[in-house]
Amino acid sequence: MLMQTRMKSFINFLAACLLAGFLAACGGGGTNDGCINIDPSRSSSLPSCSGSGGTTTPGTGTSTSGTLTLAMQDSSGAALTNLTPDVPATVNVVVKNANGVAVSNNVVTFTTSDTTGVFSPAIGTALTDGNGMASLKLAAGTQAGAFTLTASSVIGSSTVKATKSYTVSFPVLTTSDIIVSPSTVPAGANASVTLSIKNGSTNYTSPVSVAFTSICTKSGKALIGSPVITQNGVAVASYTDKGCGTTDTLTATAVVPNATLTKSVDIVVLPAAAGSLKFVGVDTTNIALKFTGGVGRPEFSTVKFQVFDMNGAPVVGKLVSFVFSDSNQATTTGGLKLNPATATTAADGTVTTTVSDGTIPTSVRVVASVVGSSPLLTTISSLLVVSSGVPDQRHFTVLPEVGNAECWNIIGKCVMVSAYLADHFGNQVTDGTVVNFTTEGGMIIDSCQTVNGLCSVPLYSSFPHPLDGRVTILAYALGEENFLDKNNNNTFNDGIDGFNVPGDDLSPDIFRDDNEDGLLSAGEPCIGPNTNGTCTTPGDLKYNGVLRIPQQPSPQAQYISTSFVMQFSSSHAQITVTPSPISCTGTSTDVQVTVKDDRNLLMPAGTKIAFSATYGATAVQVSPSEATVPSVILPVGGVIFHPTYVVTIPCSGTATGTFNVTVTTPGGTVTPSSTRIN
């Protein structure tokens, strides 16, 4: 009895457990995420799976909310499980609800375990159409292997997923040999370069970028179009010679799926024949004598030429020889030499030589020739001047364009003042030599720099004006003293050559002598150390120039200077006629006419003075009838000599008349004068 009771209890317990298990499997109690209805005929009145979970099976996802059907197809619509770079997949998903009705306007999200896979659109989502279908493209990435495609969509309150396994594989691609046509490239010509990408024995038709490069393209001696995109598996580029002139190694590189392919070929490029030779230039046209160079005065000059082929392209590797035009050798007068005497053209076709070591002032040109050219290609350089390049006192000249300008009454530009500088040999000084200016009256630009030995500055007739209208202008530059080369060796030899003291021995001081008395006065600027207070510091009794032998460790450059007096002439004339009145007897008489401005200066240069005479209403011819005031440049302390014009007047017997003088300045001011003729 007891045993039967225990057995009955165990059976009841087992039935309860089994029922609980069925209830749990069907959603009874707790969550039902992932529950499955294992009895398709189950009564709908019983608890069911109704949460967010559902099944995920290969190609199909199912839940009580609906289903997703996932498929991969090729372009023909056939099922596809393997992707290649040439064969992408069209991915289709059909979304239906629990009643099997297509769900439209539902977002489907696609993902793949291939991190390099490419969706189109790239965002990896698509919207279902009226048939519940969403589609996109999936292309192979850059890695081979097996991968899982997942599509998911929210149907009602449930996320339904479907998966599909696929593989990615890549063809084994190769390249053909590079074909160059023509196989030998003439200088400056073009060649066609062809390369094919192969998939087995056929061309790989997907576009591939092919990059071409070569030794000569890297150095700028050739050009090639790169990169090139293949067309039906073939890449064609154009190679152009730009002076390569040798065997060039060309390399093609193509990055294909899962590999990088390279192929090389040698291209024979013929060297160019020289077609022309050009003189390019020199870095300086003025060369300092040996041992006399300094800042801005180099003792050498680099001469450059350039060789071109028949097409005008630079030619590399051509041997060029150099000689002086006067000696037809690499050396010439005074030890001047060319180094090197021959040289080879660089990549840009240029070649250079250096002119140096001259000990005698001279002028030379360099002749360049292409060795072995037929006919001989040759050209000549510009003129090179070998000299000291330092101005000396004897060769320093400063002058205005006119010495008596209409500056007193007219404010503004008055005249141009020009400086002319040469060295001991009379050759132009080094370009860029600075000349300084200072003026007693008006305004002058403070300095100029020489070009070909001269430079100019404007003088303006601004205030102040000296009361007498005489304006002292001082110009100065760093230079050297004069000497007499008695032994004619183009250098100064102490104890042999002439150096006059104190005449040639310059003081380090200079001053502007405004009152023209030869002494430093109050208000006159002194330029120099002025050790004695009178701006007359004594010289050192030595020639200190760059031509001194033996050389000074640091040749003393000192001021050379010159001054002149500028007349700020007035526009208003003073006219004096002698005699006055005029007595005219006989056939004619002579009168003297003096014209000067109202400060007793010369009238402005270019002033016209007209002479005429009348007897009543009758005009008679006087001689001369006109005169022009000349330009007169005054030295400091110079005396003005006013010209006297002698005019011959015809006499008329008993009639009286008038002698007229009319003065017209370049600025247009007119001053008349009349004198009675008895």
Side-chain angles (χ1 to χ4, degrees):
M1 182 66 177
L2 180 59
M3 181 61 70
Q4 291 177 343
T5 300
R6 290 180 175 174
M7 181 61 70
K8 184 176 181 180
S9 296
F10 174 76
I11 292 173
N12 290 338
F13 172 78
L14 184 59
C17 290
L18 187 59
L19 179 59
F22 283 137
L23 288 175
C26 297
T31 64
N32 63 354
D33 188 21
C35 73
I36 302 174
N37 291 321
I38 62 174
D39 184 4
S41 62
R42 180 181 177 88
S43 171
S44 60
S45 62
L46 295 176
S48 64
C49 294
S50 59
S52 60
T55 63
T56 303
T57 57
T60 303
T62 304
S63 79
T64 56
S65 299
T67 60
L68 261 69
T69 303
L70 174 62
M72 297 174 64
Q73 299 173 335
D74 61 17
S75 57
S76 66
L80 181 67
T81 59
N82 182 63
L83 273 62
T84 67
D86 296 334
V87 183
T90 298
V91 181
N92 297 317
V93 170
V94 177
V95 181
K96 295 183 178 181
N97 62 17
N99 297 320
V101 178
V103 180
S104 62
N105 294 321
N106 222 47
V107 175
V108 179
T109 301
F110 299 87
T111 60
T112 176
S113 58
D114 180 4
T115 56
T116 65
V118 180
F119 286 112
S120 179
I123 194 172
T125 60
L127 198 65
T128 58
D129 58 15
N131 297 318
M133 178 180 288
S135 299
L136 51 59
K137 299 289 186 181
L138 174 61
T142 60
Q143 55 187 2
F147 304 100
T148 300
L149 174 66
T150 301
S152 63
S153 184
V154 177
I155 306 175
S157 60
S158 298
T159 298
V160 183
K161 298 180 180 180
T163 61
K164 189 83 171 176
S165 296
Y166 69 97
T167 58
V168 175
S169 61
F170 297 101
V172 178
L173 301 180
T174 58
T175 67
S176 67
D177 290 334
I178 299 176
I179 300 173
V180 179
S181 179
S183 57
T184 299
V185 183
N190 297 327
S192 174
V193 179
T194 304
L195 175 77
S196 297
I197 305 297
K198 295 289 189 177
N199 182 5
S201 60
T202 61
N203 284 355
Y204 182 64
T205 57
S206 293
V208 174
S209 178
V210 180
F212 293 94
T213 187
S214 77
I215 297 173
C216 284
T217 59
K218 290 178 180 178
S219 62
K221 298 177 185 178
L223 297 176
I224 191 166
S226 178
V228 176
I229 304 300
T230 59
Q231 300 289 331
N232 295 320
V234 180
V236 180
S238 178
Y239 177 96
T240 303
D241 174 48
K242 292 293 182 180
C244 185
T246 186
T247 299
D248 191 13
T249 300
L250 176 72
T251 300
T253 303
V255 178
V256 298
N258 219 32
T260 298
L261 308 177
T262 61
K263 182 70 75 170
S264 296
V265 70
D266 286 340
I267 302 177
V268 178
V269 184
L270 298 179
S276 62
L277 176 60
K278 171 187 174 184
F279 167 63
V280 177
V282 295
D283 54 9
T284 180
T285 57
N286 294 91
I287 306 172
L289 292 172
K290 189 175 182 180
F291 303 128
T292 70
V295 177
R297 295 183 297 109
E299 296 180 11
F300 63 90
S301 180
T302 300
V303 188
K304 180 183 286 187
F305 299 88
Q306 192 171 22
V307 179
F308 298 92
D309 64 16
M310 299 294 184
N311 299 313
V315 179
V316 63
K318 288 296 178 183
L319 188 65
V320 178
S321 65
F322 309 103
V323 295
F324 288 110
S325 60
D326 58 349
S327 67
N328 204 32
Q329 296 179 354
T331 59
T332 190
T333 306
L336 204 63
K337 66 181 181 182
L338 290 164
N339 185 29
T342 60
T344 303
T345 57
D348 60 354
T350 60
V351 62
T352 60
T353 188
T354 300
V355 180
S356 63
D357 291 348
T359 59
I360 295 178
T362 186
S363 298
V364 295
R365 295 179 187 268
V366 178
V367 177
S369 303
V370 178
V371 177
S373 58
S374 180
L376 183 66
L377 296 177
T378 184
T379 191
I380 192 167
S381 74
S382 61
L383 193 67
L384 300 174
V385 177
V386 183
S387 190
S388 72
V390 178
D392 67 1
Q393 182 63 55
R394 183 183 295 116
H395 293 93
F396 185 37
T397 305
V398 177
L399 294 172
E401 56 188 346
V402 293
N404 44 310
E406 195 171 358
C407 301
W408 186 268
N409 302 102
I410 300 175
I411 302 300
K413 182 180 177 182
C414 184
V415 294
M416 293 298 294
V417 179
S418 298
Y420 304 83
L421 292 84
D423 63 13
H424 172 82
F425 306 101
N427 299 128
Q428 65 192 49
V429 297
T430 304
D431 284 355
T433 299
V434 176
V435 182
N436 300 281
F437 300 88
T438 177
T439 180
E440 175 188 2
M443 180 186 76
I444 194 167
I445 299 302
D446 60 352
S447 65
C448 62
Q449 296 186 31
T450 60
V451 176
N452 295 327
L454 60 92
C455 65
S456 302
V457 295
L459 171 66
Y460 296 93
S461 58
S462 58
F463 293 109
H465 293 168
L467 292 178
D468 61 1
R470 295 172 65 106
V471 178
T472 300
I473 295 171
L474 169 68
Y476 57 96
L478 288 174
E480 59 188 22
E481 299 151 315
N482 304 325
F483 75 92
L484 177 62
D485 186 12
K486 291 183 177 181
N487 61 358
N488 304 315
N489 67 349
N490 303 303
T491 59
F492 177 83
N493 303 107
D494 204 6
I496 300 176
D497 291 324
F499 183 70
N500 296 321
V501 178
D504 292 330
D505 188 31
L506 296 179
S507 166
D509 294 333
I510 55 175
F511 67 94
R512 193 186 69 215
D513 191 6
D514 294 348
N515 63 5
E516 305 179 53
D517 65 354
L519 301 173
L520 181 68
S521 303
E524 295 177 345
C526 175
I527 300 165
N530 193 15
T531 59
N532 57 14
T534 61
C535 203
T536 56
T537 301
D540 61 0
L541 309 180
K542 297 178 181 179
Y543 172 74
N544 296 292
V546 297
L547 297 175
R548 182 184 177 101
I549 298 295
Q551 290 291 312
Q552 295 281 14
S554 177
Q556 176 185 335
Q558 54 197 100
Y559 291 121
I560 57 174
S561 64
T562 186
S563 299
F564 66 91
V565 171
M566 181 73 195
Q567 298 177 66
F568 273 25
S569 298
S570 169
S571 302
H572 305 292
Q574 300 180 68
I575 303 171
T576 303
V577 179
T578 304
S580 179
I582 301 167
S583 177
C584 191
T585 59
T587 58
S588 65
T589 188
D590 291 340
V591 297
Q592 295 180 342
V593 181
T594 302
V595 179
K596 53 188 175 181
D597 79 353
D598 55 11
R599 281 173 175 72
N600 294 321
L601 302 177
L602 291 175
M603 289 300 292
T607 295
K608 301 294 184 181
I609 306 173
F611 308 106
S612 64
T614 58
Y615 291 96
T618 303
V620 296
Q621 182 66 43
V622 301
S623 179
S625 61
E626 185 181 72
T628 302
V629 177
S631 169
V632 177
I633 302 170
L634 295 176
V636 174
V639 178
I640 298 174
F641 295 96
H642 296 285
T644 297
Y645 305 98
V646 178
V647 182
T648 300
I649 305 172
C651 297
S652 66
T654 59
T656 60
T658 304
F659 175 62
N660 301 305
V661 179
T662 304
V663 179
T664 306
T665 68
T669 300
V670 178
T671 304
S673 172
S674 297
T675 304
R676 180 181 175 83
I677 304 174
N678 293 326

